[in-house]
């Protein structure tokens, strides 16, 4: 049996501000057939170059959430930071041979780190709410001192959600 210890803390210096932090470890066995859809296309042969070891991770997260009085419609502002370091990361290699997908454990480590800033606010007239967030990320592998960005891991992402409620017919419209 493998343990994955984790510790979390929460501190609220005022009614409007909350800070959280968490540290922990984890592990998982990757199932390439459910996680890597390229493996299911049938156009390439799958090769397991070695017996795959479980991925292991160590992570640290921290966040601060503050409610800003904004008339009768408080605005919630949040800032989250995250850092995870993976060992034994299982990475598919699509470039070795155009007819193969080769799976093996990374001989090094992989890092996912970044920061997210978010806004959330509800209004009563009109009955609209929104949430918006922006994330800056740095996702890379380091193999033998050679740092390389991870394919399909964007440097930044943004999200915007709008909700309009029509209480007379108990309906919400979301975008």
């Amino acid at each position: 049996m493998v343990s994955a210890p984790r510790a979390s803390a929460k501190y609220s210096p005022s009614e409007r501000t909350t800070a959280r932090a968490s540290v922990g470890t984890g592990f998982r066995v990757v199932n390439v057939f459910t996680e890597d859809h390229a493996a299911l296309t049938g156009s390439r042969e799958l090769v397991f170059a070695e017996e795959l070891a479980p991925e292991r991770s160590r992570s640290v997260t921290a966040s601060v959430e503050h409610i800003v009085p904004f008339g009768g419609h408080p605005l919630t502002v949040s800032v989250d930071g995250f850092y995870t370091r993976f060992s034994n990361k299982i990475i598919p290699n699509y470039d070795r041979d155009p007819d193969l997908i080769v799976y093996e454990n990374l001989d090094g480590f992989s890092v996912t780190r970044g920061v997210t800033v978010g806004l959330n606010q509800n209004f009563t007239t009109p009955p609209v709410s929104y949430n918006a967030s922006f994330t800056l990320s740095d996702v890379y592998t380091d193999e033998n001192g050679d740092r390389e960005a991870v394919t399909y891991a964007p440097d930044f992402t943004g999200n915007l959600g709008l909700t309009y409620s029509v209480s007379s017919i108990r309906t919400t419209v979301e975008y």
Side-chain angles (χ1 to χ4, degrees):
M1 179 156 121
V2 178
S3 66
R6 182 163 296 281
S8 298
K10 176 182 171 185
Y11 173 64
S12 296
S14 72
E15 285 185 21
R16 293 189 175 137
T17 304
T18 302
R20 291 180 173 86
S22 177
V23 296
T25 63
F27 72 97
R28 71 186 191 115
V29 177
V30 174
N31 184 333
V32 299
F33 300 106
T34 59
E35 296 181 33
D36 184 14
H37 297 287
L40 300 175
T41 64
S43 63
R44 292 183 175 204
E45 181 182 342
L46 304 182
V47 174
F48 294 91
E50 61 190 358
E51 185 175 332
L52 300 178
E55 293 181 345
R56 298 192 173 273
S57 66
R58 290 183 175 82
S59 63
V60 176
T61 61
S63 67
V64 175
E65 184 176 273
H66 183 72
I67 299 170
V68 179
F70 199 85
H73 313 287
L75 170 67
T76 302
V77 179
S78 60
V79 178
D80 302 272
F82 53 91
Y83 177 92
T84 302
R85 180 184 165 125
F86 298 93
S87 59
N88 293 338
K89 184 82 173 160
I90 297 169
I91 307 233
N93 185 330
Y94 302 104
D95 299 327
R96 186 178 293 180
D97 183 315
D99 296 323
L100 303 176
I101 301 175
V102 180
Y103 293 94
E104 58 191 333
N105 286 103
L106 180 66
D107 185 22
F109 61 91
S110 177
V111 169
T112 299
R113 62 185 176 182
V115 64
T116 298
V117 176
L119 304 173
N120 189 323
Q121 191 169 24
N122 298 316
F123 297 93
T124 51
T125 306
V128 172
S129 63
Y130 73 89
N131 60 63
S133 65
F134 184 79
T135 302
L136 290 172
S137 300
D138 184 23
V139 183
Y140 63 91
T141 60
D142 187 309
E143 195 163 18
N144 302 318
D146 194 19
R147 180 180 162 144
E148 187 174 318
V150 173
T151 306
Y152 305 118
D155 293 335
F156 60 90
T157 58
N159 293 295
L160 175 64
L162 299 170
T163 302
Y164 181 80
S165 298
V166 185
S167 59
S168 62
I169 58 173
R170 296 185 352 212
T171 302
T172 58
V173 178
E174 297 182 357
Y175 178 78

